Amino acid sequence: MTLKEHAETFLALHQPGNPVILPTVWDAWSAKLVQESGFSAITVGSHPLANSLGRADNEGMTFTEVTARIKEITAAVDIPVSVDIESGYAQKPATLIEGLLEAGAVGLNIEDTVHSEGKRLRAPQEHADLVGELRQAADAAGVHVVVNARTDVFMRPDTGTPAERLDSALERMKLAAAAGADVLYPVGRHEPEVLRRLTSELPLPVNSIGIPAQDGRAYFAELGVARVSFGPFLQNALTEYANGLFGIWR
């Protein structure tokens, strides 16, 4: 399957109320495990990826290091791969798209916390403009890279009260949608009423975060979610399980 076909397949999986489940991986082994378990696509998380190399999350790796690992992952599986590129590693949008496609990825997450600039939060239109530039670069490359626009406002108490953060997230996500995003990711663990408002008021499929040993597909389907990823929680769950096994040998 070509990159263009992978991208089209991946985009079609995003159906509100019938969510695609993307177990978040970090290397070729975890990617093959997910594919062999029957999942249709995968996403590579920045946190577990950094952990696997002994680096810090929040752009503790370079973009070149990220794409080197992505090449290993895409060589090991034949399902669509999306990549969390944090806030963009201070790279130009065209460089990001070129690097991801060269590595065999057909999707990306882009967040509005700028790690290379003291973790400042991009202004709403500033983030939307970046999303638009990524869309333009992908269009120029001839592959509809699936752009998952993320906002971190729910994770930032400094941005206001819970109600103010919800309003801010809706504003930011609507601007990103207008700029060319395919999926919207108001990251955080939300109460059902908040998640339902997000899925009902936002104009594009919504990505939510799940915890492997909790929730379940039906929970997110009922709330109108179109995509579920695990962030660092799959790696965390495997770590806890391994620690339990190791306990009998200490």
Side-chain angles (χ1 to χ4, degrees):
M1 190 177 291
T2 66
L3 283 178
K4 184 176 181 180
E5 291 170 333
H6 265 309
E8 292 168 353
T9 297
F10 187 43
L11 181 60
L13 292 173
H14 294 77
Q15 301 171 16
N18 182 29
V20 58
I21 309 302
L22 304 177
T24 307
V25 306
W26 54 90
D27 62 5
W29 171 81
S30 55
K32 288 183 70 174
L33 176 66
V34 167
Q35 177 176 276
E36 290 167 1
S37 296
F39 292 93
S40 302
I42 56 177
T43 185
V44 181
S46 65
H47 193 163
L49 178 60
N51 277 349
S52 74
L53 294 175
R55 302 294 183 83
D57 191 22
N58 301 328
E59 299 188 3
M61 300 173 64
T62 67
F63 184 57
T64 298
E65 290 171 328
V66 170
T67 54
R69 178 54 64 89
I70 300 308
K71 289 178 183 178
E72 296 173 357
I73 291 171
T74 57
V77 298
D78 57 9
I79 54 178
V81 175
S82 184
V83 183
D84 178 357
I85 59 169
E86 305 215 51
S87 56
Y89 299 92
Q91 301 295 312
K92 293 181 179 179
T95 300
L96 294 168
I97 294 296
E98 179 182 1
L100 289 172
L101 290 175
E102 183 180 322
V106 295
L108 65 88
N109 291 7
I110 185 73
E111 65 192 57
D112 51 7
T113 296
V114 189
H115 301 291
S116 61
E117 299 177 19
K119 303 189 185 304
R120 73 174 182 86
L121 194 66
R122 289 191 182 102
Q125 188 60 55
E126 178 189 10
H127 190 54
D129 289 344
L130 175 56
V131 168
E133 290 171 0
L134 289 164
R135 169 58 55 223
Q136 291 171 9
D139 289 347
V143 177
H144 190 95
V145 175
V146 178
V147 176
N148 187 19
R150 168 177 151 170
T151 181
D152 290 346
V153 292
F154 285 108
M155 311 294 287
R156 304 272 300 246
D158 59 323
T159 60
T161 66
E164 290 170 335
R165 280 180 271 165
L166 174 56
D167 289 342
S168 177
L170 289 167
E171 176 196 7
R172 286 170 177 271
M173 295 287 85
K174 289 176 181 177
L175 287 170
D182 297 294
V183 189
L184 304 174
Y185 189 12
V187 70
R189 292 283 292 170
H190 307 301
E191 292 298 322
E193 61 272 17
V194 172
L195 190 52
R196 192 181 299 280
R197 184 175 171 194
L198 289 166
T199 59
S200 63
E201 295 189 24
L202 291 175
L204 291 175
V206 171
N207 185 167
S208 190
I209 193 163
I211 296 179
Q214 299 179 28
D215 307 320
R217 190 177 186 280
Y219 171 80
F220 289 103
E222 195 276 330
L223 292 169
V225 170
R227 167 174 172 162
V228 179
S229 51
F230 293 162
F233 296 116
L234 174 58
Q235 190 182 60
N236 289 352
L238 293 176
T239 300
E240 291 178 11
Y241 181 72
N243 282 335
L245 292 178
F246 295 156
I248 65 172
W249 297 101
R250 293 192 183 103

